[in-house]
Structures are given as structure tokens and as C-alpha cells.
Amino acid sequence: MKRNKKILIAKLGLDGHDRGAKVVARGLKEAGMEVIYTGLRNTAQDVVRTAVQEDVDLIGVSILSGAHKTLIKKLFKLLEDEKIAEIPVLVGGIIPNDDYSYLYNLGVNKIFGSGTSLEEILNYIRDLKSER
């Protein structure tokens, strides 16, 4: 029996705005996915620890603070250290277009900018092949 995807939604860094992350988490939950929302002000270590403990299929990170390059780089380093770098990572929030290639080169699977529809996010996640 195939289980629903288990998704971790996290706010990295000191960013205090989580409305978008909550909307996405609720939409994913309503679409039948299991969602773990970590709340505000997480470190990369918090996110990786939760991903390991909960055996998630996907990590969604919301960043509005402008610290996305530093925080996502650290996240991927820790994912590698824990030998779970194969977990797809999606990033959402306010990310300048000039930074997309940097994040994709780190290993981000998809970036969803501000204003992306929930339907687009759901379709991407549903189409993502689970290799775990």
C-alpha cells in the first residue's frame, strides 16, 4: 500500500513571516499529504533533525529574509552529512531571479516565487518521483 507523501515545511532563519508557509502547509494537508510544519525561526540543524526523525519524503523551505543563499547552502551541507541529500528540497518565498541558478546548483529541486498558486505547487509535488 502506497502511503501519502510526508512533507516537512520549515521557516529557516530569523524570518518572522509565516503566512505563506501556513497556507501551503494547509493546502498540502487538504490534498491528502502528511505535513509537518516546524514553525518560525528554525536553524538548518533543526530542519535536518526533523527530516531524519520524521522520515520525510520532501522538504519545503520558506525564506523571505534574503538569507537564502547562506541558509540553503548550510541545509544541503547538513543533509549530505546525514546522508539524506536525496530528499527533494523545494524553496519558496522572495528569491531574486538572479539567485535561482545558485540555489539550483546547490541541489534545490524547484523554486516557487511569491504569488505561485497552490495548484502549481501541488501539481509539482504530485509529479515528483519518489526514489525513497
Side-chain angles (χ1 to χ4, degrees):
M1 182 172 158
K2 186 179 171 191
R3 72 173 172 93
N4 291 333
K5 287 186 177 163
K6 188 185 268 192
I7 300 171
L8 173 64
I9 302 290
K11 293 289 298 177
L12 269 180
L14 299 177
D15 179 0
H17 299 87
D18 66 347
R19 183 171 300 191
K22 286 180 176 177
V23 167
V24 170
R26 183 179 183 120
L28 296 175
K29 201 174 279 191
E30 288 175 356
M33 297 175 198
E34 186 176 346
V35 178
I36 297 130
Y37 174 61
T38 60
L40 293 169
R41 298 179 182 91
N42 291 275
T43 65
Q45 291 90 342
D46 295 333
V47 174
V48 171
R49 184 179 321 107
T50 303
V52 169
Q53 289 172 347
E54 297 290 340
D55 190 30
V56 300
D57 299 303
L58 181 104
I59 298 171
V61 177
S62 172
I63 301 179
L64 302 171
S65 66
H68 48 275
K69 285 179 156 181
T70 302
L71 295 172
I72 297 299
K73 182 177 182 178
K74 186 167 194 163
L75 177 68
F76 273 100
K77 168 73 170 95
L78 293 169
L79 290 170
E80 284 181 25
D81 291 349
E82 287 294 325
K83 304 202 181 347
I84 57 169
E86 77 281 357
I87 297 175
V89 175
L90 311 181
V91 175
I94 300 175
I95 310 293
N97 290 341
D98 291 347
D99 294 344
Y100 278 37
S101 62
Y102 176 84
L103 296 176
Y104 284 132
N105 286 333
L106 288 175
V108 170
N109 290 72
K110 183 75 173 166
I111 299 167
F112 295 103
S114 179
T116 301
S117 73
L118 185 57
E119 181 180 0
E120 184 179 340
I121 296 168
L122 283 168
N123 287 338
Y124 183 84
I125 291 172
R126 285 183 184 128
D127 291 343
L128 213 102
K129 300 291 184 221
S130 178
E131 298 173 8
R132 301 193 72 218

